[in-house]
Amino acid sequence: MNIGIDMDGVLTDIQAFNLKHATPFFKKRFNRDIVDENPYDIRDIFGCSKDEYNTYWKRYLLKYAIFEPARKGAKKTVRKLSAEGHKIFIISKRVFTCRDNFLGKLMRFLMRNWLWRNCIKYDEIVFCDNDVPDSKGTACRENNIDVMIDDEVVNIEAILPFAKIICFDTSYNRDYKGENVFRAKDWEEVYRAIK
């Protein structure tokens, strides 16, 4: 089986990273408190402007891309699936990875390096354009993905016509009720769903 795995929110816990780092940053820098801690995007969590959002990520993007650890159980589960003969595709819309400039090359390098350092076994990486809402659906169709593990509702909706979905359960997708979408709270549940 061809299995697609998302990076941000699935292999990593981007929401926990943002709550840990953005809460003191926005309080100190912009005197903002959390408006709603459940959304995926920090613009919604803090009700901040695009400029404030960009200021935050200029400070924390490299820290996130380099040092944020893999979720518990990710390494073991992905290795087990690979050992069982499944082909593993990392399919990500990580920011800047589709750019054909120094920043794009740097972000692709950091992503590959992060996967290597966290011992995440994979066969291929597919970089999807963050500015195109259905880019993951296209990637799943072109790579004959049978099962995709993702956390963002917009991606899940784009992928549903082409693959079975395992929605990695988070507070920002908890209200989503898609047909033929299995929900997994951790990597053990991901493995059981695939089996």
Side-chain angles (χ1 to χ4, degrees), residues 98-112:
C98 282
R99 290 194 180 176
D100 192 24
N101 58 16
F102 174 76
L103 184 57
K105 290 175 186 174
L106 174 65
M107 292 306 292
R108 290 188 296 274
F109 169 79
L110 290 176
M111 198 165 133
R112 286 183 179 103

Side-chain angles (χ1 to χ4, degrees), residues 86-151:
H86 300 291
K87 191 169 182 183
I88 306 297
F89 290 78
I90 304 299
I91 301 177
S92 177
K93 284 173 50 174
R94 177 157 296 171
V95 67
F96 305 130
T97 55
C98 282
R99 290 194 180 176
D100 192 24
N101 58 16
F102 174 76
L103 184 57
K105 290 175 186 174
L106 174 65
M107 292 306 292
R108 290 188 296 274
F109 169 79
L110 290 176
M111 198 165 133
R112 286 183 179 103
N113 185 267
W114 183 93
L115 290 161
W116 175 78
R117 282 186 303 101
N118 284 275
C119 302
I120 304 294
K121 187 166 177 42
Y122 64 92
D123 296 289
E124 290 186 40
I125 297 180
V126 180
F127 298 105
C128 301
D129 193 334
N130 194 39
D131 296 325
V132 178
D134 66 345
S135 61
K136 277 198 177 178
T138 301
C140 286
R141 185 180 66 247
E142 289 174 353
N143 290 284
N144 299 311
I145 299 299
D146 298 300
V147 176
M148 180 68 193
I149 307 158
D150 211 305
D151 62 312

Side-chain angles (χ1 to χ4, degrees), residues 21-85:
H21 296 286
T23 301
F25 175 83
F26 280 100
K27 182 68 173 172
K28 183 177 179 182
R29 184 90 182 242
F30 301 112
N31 196 28
R32 291 190 184 272
D33 289 316
I34 293 173
V35 175
D36 182 356
E37 68 180 44
N38 290 327
Y40 177 78
D41 196 305
I42 62 170
R43 286 174 282 204
D44 299 322
I45 294 171
F46 293 95
C48 63
S49 70
K50 186 174 183 176
D51 287 341
E52 293 167 338
Y53 170 86
N54 289 337
T55 300
Y56 167 75
W57 278 116
K58 280 179 187 174
R59 180 168 181 172
Y60 287 102
L61 180 60
L62 290 179
K63 183 175 188 168
Y64 172 74
I66 296 169
F67 299 112
E68 183 63 11
R71 283 186 188 265
K72 182 181 176 189
K75 170 184 151 182
K76 179 181 174 185
T77 300
V78 174
R79 284 189 170 277
K80 191 187 284 190
L81 291 169
S82 180
E84 292 172 358

